[in-house]
Amino acid sequence: MNWKLTNIPSETGSISFDYKFNQYHILDTLTGFIIGNNSIAEISNSVKENRPRDKQNYETILFTTIDGGISFEKSTLGKGNLKQMTSDTQKNLYLIKNTYKTDSKPEKNSILRSTDLGKTWKEISNFNTQKIRNVQFYDTLKGVVSIGNNNKKIQLLTTIDGGQSWQELKVNKTGVNIYDVIFLNENELYTFYKNGNLEQTVSINFTTGNTKIHLCNLPKNYRFDSFFRDDTTDSLYSKVVNPKELHPLMIYNHTSQQLTTYDFENHQDESIVGVNISREYIGVLRNDNGKTFYYYSRDHGKNWTKESLPDYLADSRPVALFGKGGVWVKSIKNLYNLQVRRSSEF
């Protein structure tokens, strides 16, 4: 097996974990990132120093690995919280940063970009009190964001100049989920669409907002979970779920518009934590009767191998699966440890 435990450095030296991790983002088999804030360390420090705990004191955290998860280097991008990281077709990185409201300053939501694999960052857009729900860029020029406060409707904005200016893209169809918009190609966006009880998808013209509905023929009461891509072929997939009933792993290929069911070692108490596909390789993290195992197939799901993790899973979010066998999940016994399975492509 390729599993190992990677220790994440502590700020306080206490037994509790110092950081709130919001996302793992894997760029390739060597390069990956962990984003979030140091809120738990800040809570601990405020108790020790007998002072009020305030979100404005949280420090952003960014952990970077360039050796496949063997070691991580910590950095910060100032006060606040890092909420989401994405990358474009040119491997530029984008971050949603939230800086909390104070007595003298409004809440600030901004987008940062790195063109050197996270070594340096530049703010490219500032939406002040508008919350940024999602950011996606196709390249350094074309991008899309979903913004909106809790008391306002969500808006879809696009840019063709790298974030210097934004225009609202009005989608000519109700029921379109503009939270989870991604780029299908340079000229089309893609997301989920719900028409009554029917779960479908829709492509959106990046310039006009015109839509095209794609019939997906999912079983009744089943829905799409999220998007993920084959890192080799770039085919687009979603896990299909029904929270109200036990069922085998179901994956929808948006490229071929085909639903496939993988029925292996069923148990009465099971749930899929994460899944990825890399051509003929399928990797699955699954909870079986309270314990998490890693299953993988090298032949499109015909045969499966089961592995135990070094330690129990601390949380089902965040997790990261990538390539042919790469996995990141947090450890429960020592919360400074990240359980890392290195890809066989390494």
Side-chain angles (χ1 to χ4, degrees), residues 1 3 285 291-294 307-313 327 329-330 339:
M1 293 194 302
W3 289 95
L285 269 178
K291 186 172 182 181
T292 305
F293 297 92
Y294 181 66
E307 288 183 357
S308 296
L309 278 62
D311 194 3
Y312 283 87
L313 195 67
V327 183
V329 294
K330 200 158 65 170
Q339 300 182 80

Side-chain angles (χ1 to χ4, degrees), residues 1-238:
M1 293 194 302
N2 298 314
W3 289 95
K4 69 181 298 291
L5 293 174
T6 296
N7 187 260
I8 303 295
S10 162
E11 282 188 21
T12 63
S14 64
I15 60 173
S16 62
F17 200 72
D18 289 350
Y19 310 111
K20 181 181 186 298
F21 287 168
N22 292 324
Q23 183 191 351
Y24 307 139
H25 184 72
I26 315 298
L27 205 57
D28 54 44
T29 54
L30 286 175
T31 312
F33 306 89
I34 306 174
I35 63 169
N37 62 47
N38 74 335
S39 56
I40 303 176
E42 172 58 28
I43 291 170
S44 175
N45 291 334
S46 65
V47 171
K48 290 178 182 177
E49 297 167 15
N50 194 26
R51 58 176 171 81
R53 173 173 61 89
D54 197 323
K55 287 183 178 179
Q56 69 190 45
N57 294 320
Y58 297 173
E59 195 82 20
T60 61
I61 58 103
L62 172 67
F63 284 99
T64 304
T65 181
I66 57 173
D67 57 15
I70 295 176
S71 61
F72 286 86
E73 181 178 343
K74 178 191 168 190
S75 60
T76 180
L77 301 178
K79 297 292 185 183
N81 181 36
L82 300 181
K83 297 168 61 179
Q84 182 194 33
M85 177 182 281
T86 58
S87 50
D88 64 22
T89 55
Q90 299 169 332
K91 287 194 173 183
N92 299 307
L93 298 168
Y94 301 86
L95 278 171
I96 297 176
K97 181 183 176 183
N98 171 232
T99 303
Y100 298 104
K101 182 179 179 180
T102 68
D103 292 337
S104 59
K105 295 180 180 179
E107 180 180 332
K108 180 180 177 182
N109 291 265
S110 56
I111 300 173
L112 312 180
R113 177 168 61 209
S114 174
T115 58
D116 55 9
L117 299 180
K119 295 182 179 69
T120 60
W121 294 87
K122 180 181 179 182
E123 182 180 297
I124 61 172
S125 295
N126 177 3
F127 291 91
N128 292 320
T129 58
Q130 291 286 340
K131 291 187 183 298
I132 306 174
R133 311 285 177 157
N134 178 33
V135 60
Q136 303 286 330
F137 272 77
Y138 181 79
D139 54 25
T140 53
L141 296 178
K142 281 191 171 183
V144 61
V145 297
S146 304
I147 67 166
N149 290 333
N150 293 332
N151 59 344
K152 294 183 180 179
K153 71 172 185 177
I154 305 300
Q155 292 178 296
L156 204 59
L157 305 182
T158 61
T159 181
I160 56 173
D161 56 17
Q164 296 181 54
S165 62
W166 295 87
Q167 302 78 36
E168 183 178 2
L169 182 65
K170 294 186 177 180
V171 179
N172 63 352
K173 197 79 175 176
T174 58
V176 174
N177 179 357
I178 62 174
Y179 282 102
D180 298 312
V181 171
I182 62 171
F183 275 93
L184 188 61
N185 53 56
E186 184 178 2
N187 299 310
E188 284 185 296
L189 303 170
Y190 193 71
T191 188
F192 304 123
Y193 167 70
K194 194 164 187 177
N195 182 12
N197 292 325
L198 295 176
E199 189 83 12
Q200 299 168 347
T201 59
V202 58
S203 51
I204 307 168
N205 185 284
F206 180 80
T207 304
T208 67
N210 292 336
T211 58
K212 179 182 178 182
I213 305 300
H214 306 279
L215 302 178
C216 301
N217 297 318
L218 297 190
K220 186 179 179 181
N221 298 322
Y222 282 71
R223 59 176 176 80
F224 296 113
D225 183 44
S226 60
F227 293 120
F228 64 94
R229 290 189 182 275
D230 183 322
D231 64 323
T232 306
T233 68
D234 208 40
S235 292
L236 185 64
Y237 294 92
S238 286

